[in-house]
Every structure is written in structure tokens, then in C-alpha cells.
Amino acid sequence: MVHFTADEKVAITSLWSKMNVEEAGGEALGRLLVVYPWTQRFFDNFGNLSSPSAILGNPKVKAHGKKVLTSFGDAIKNMDNLKTTFAKLSELHCDKLHVDPENFRLLGNVMVIILATHFGKEFTPEVQAAWQKLVSAVAIALGHKYH
Amino acid sequence: MSNFTAEDKAAITSLWAKVNVEDAGGETLGRLLVVYPWTQRFFDSFGSLSSPSAIMGNPKVKAHGAKVLTSLGEAIKNLDDLKGTFGQLSELHCDKLHVDPENFRLLGNVLVTVLAIHHGKEFTPEVQASWQKMVAGVASALGSRYH
């Protein structure tokens, strides 16, 4: 079980409280689909993903991105219990959605980049370290029920 | 061999022209050592790495970081022949330094984060995609002579 120090929790929650989950969600999912184009295969029914601007403007991408990031917000309230928090989502992503867990790591990296672009120097090495630990732990928790 | 489009090359070179290689080098290597602490094992002779501020202020970290990014600058002039450019460095990292190639991917991700911090919104999804391709190509080239 991953253990987060008090400093790490502060670094994570204070940055999160300044985030617009709706916008950041759309941006995170959009960037994933642009930067790692093979991930588009999971979103066949999302309509136009033919160019970066189409992807970033796509309303289904924005809506789904918001859903993903809202779920991430739940993780942040339950940092000491990520495996349980994500157990059902883990089963869903394995049994129904058939998503390779490597993609969770990719999405986590994209989130770190978004935080970096939004917060600049405030995204210090220590804050980055705390967030990297969180996204890795979330990726592990989401992969935990795979079989 | 990674295929860089004309747009990729433009995105990479135009951003690189604005990078202070010395500052960015120290920051990138420093962040690697803070965010992924096991990487400190390769730098035993560097003196104090005992805290994030010690790491970020360490003159050997800054100097070596500048060296690494200068080498990356060479790669940017030779995007169509990364394997050739990094042949000898690949042998060095395998035969003498014994660095797990996974660490090249980690350093690449840290560099992308540093660029995101410094360039904010200018680090668009398309620019990120080109840079992600670049660092993946470099990591692959650095691992190409491993045996």
C-alpha cells in the first residue's frame, strides 16, 4: 500500500483545490489522444478525432475527461485507500473496456504535464514528486483487479 | 527509426531555441533525482543529494545536467539519425555506466515537464506530441547498443 506523507498530501490537495476539474479533464484526455494517438482506439464512438483541434474541441472528449478527473478527485480524498477506491473501476477497465493498464500511466503523465503548464514555477520538484507518486499509485490501483 | 514530420521538427527546434541549456539542464537532472530518488544511485560522487534543495543547488548536478542537455541539443540537429548520433553514448551507458534504459524514458518525461513549466500555454498538445516523440526517440537510441 502506498503511503503519502503529510507534506505530499498538502502538495497534492492544495494544487487540486485550484484546478478547474471540467477544463483540466477535457485537456488531459484531449492531450492523451493527441500525444499518444493509439489511445483513440478506445473512443471510436466519440466522433471527430481527426486533428488536434478537433480532439480538443470535441464535446464528448471534454465530457469524458471531466468524468475521469472527477474520479481522480475521489482518489485524492482517499489517498490512503486507493486500491479500494478504484476496485470497481479496475474491474470495469479490465472486463468491459479492455484497456491496457499502460494507458493509465500515460494519462497520469499527461496530468503532470497539464499541472506543469498551468502552475509553472509553483510546480516545484517536491510538488512534482508528490504528484508523480499519486498518479503512479492511481495507475497501480486501476490495474489491481486485472486478470 | 522515428519519423519526424516538418511540423515536429519546427515545434522542437523553435522551442529549443528559447531554452537556456545550462539552467534547464540542472533543473531537469535535479528533478529526476528528486522525483525518482533511486536514480541518485548513479551519482554517488556528486556530494550532497540529501534533500530537494540540496539536489537542486548542487553544482555537480547543474554541471552534469548542462552536459546531458547539450548532448540533446546535438540530437536536435540530427533528428533523422538519432541512433547514429547516440551510438557511442549508448555503449558508454551500457558498458561503463550500467544505467537501466528505463531511466532514459524517465529523464525524457522530466524534460517534457520542465518545458511545460517554462512555456505554459505555448506548450500546446501538438508541441507536446512532437517533444514526446523526440524524447522517446532519444531514449530508444540510447538503448540501441545495449547487450
Side-chain angles (χ1 to χ4, degrees), chain B residues 60-132:
Chain B
K60 286 189 173 183
V61 170
K62 292 182 182 191
H64 194 72
K67 192 171 171 181
V68 169
L69 276 211
T70 301
S71 169
L72 207 86
E74 288 308 304
I76 290 174
K77 294 178 200 154
N78 289 288
L79 286 172
D80 294 323
D81 187 22
L82 291 176
K83 287 195 165 94
T85 305
F86 281 114
Q88 284 191 320
L89 275 172
S90 181
E91 287 173 3
L92 175 76
H93 281 77
C94 169
D95 298 334
K96 295 256 153 40
L97 304 177
H98 310 299
V99 175
D100 185 322
E102 177 58 22
N103 293 297
F104 307 144
R105 278 173 273 287
L106 295 182
L107 185 68
N109 284 343
V110 173
L111 176 61
V112 170
T113 307
V114 168
L115 293 172
I117 287 169
H118 284 267
H119 297 278
K121 291 251 174 336
E122 201 185 332
F123 200 64
T124 63
E126 296 95 313
V127 171
Q128 180 186 348
S130 300
W131 271 94
Q132 210 77 56

Side-chain angles (χ1 to χ4, degrees), chain B residues 21-92:
Chain B
V21 169
E22 186 161 342
D23 287 347
E27 195 180 349
T28 301
L29 186 60
R31 279 182 186 257
L32 181 80
L33 298 171
V34 170
V35 176
Y36 306 107
W38 60 86
T39 57
Q40 294 170 27
R41 68 182 289 277
F42 298 110
F43 302 101
D44 277 342
S45 62
F46 272 32
S48 177
L49 300 178
S50 58
S51 70
S53 47
I55 290 169
M56 301 310 288
N58 183 309
K60 286 189 173 183
V61 170
K62 292 182 182 191
H64 194 72
K67 192 171 171 181
V68 169
L69 276 211
T70 301
S71 169
L72 207 86
E74 288 308 304
I76 290 174
K77 294 178 200 154
N78 289 288
L79 286 172
D80 294 323
D81 187 22
L82 291 176
K83 287 195 165 94
T85 305
F86 281 114
Q88 284 191 320
L89 275 172
S90 181
E91 287 173 3
L92 175 76

Side-chain angles (χ1 to χ4, degrees), chain A residues 33 36 58 70 82 85 108 123 128-129 133:
Chain A
L33 298 171
Y36 307 106
N58 183 311
T70 302
L82 290 174
T85 305
F123 198 62
Q128 181 184 351
K133 193 169 165 181

Side-chain angles (χ1 to χ4, degrees), chain A residues 8-10 15 22 24 30-31 33 37 44 47-48 56 58 70 80 88 90 97 119 124 127 138 144:
Chain A
E8 284 166 346
K9 289 182 180 181
V10 166
L15 223 67
E22 184 162 349
R31 278 188 188 250
L33 298 171
D44 276 343
N48 188 2
L56 290 154
N58 183 311
T70 302
D80 293 323
K88 286 220 157 64
S90 182
L97 305 177
F119 292 102
T124 63
V127 170
V138 168
H144 185 63

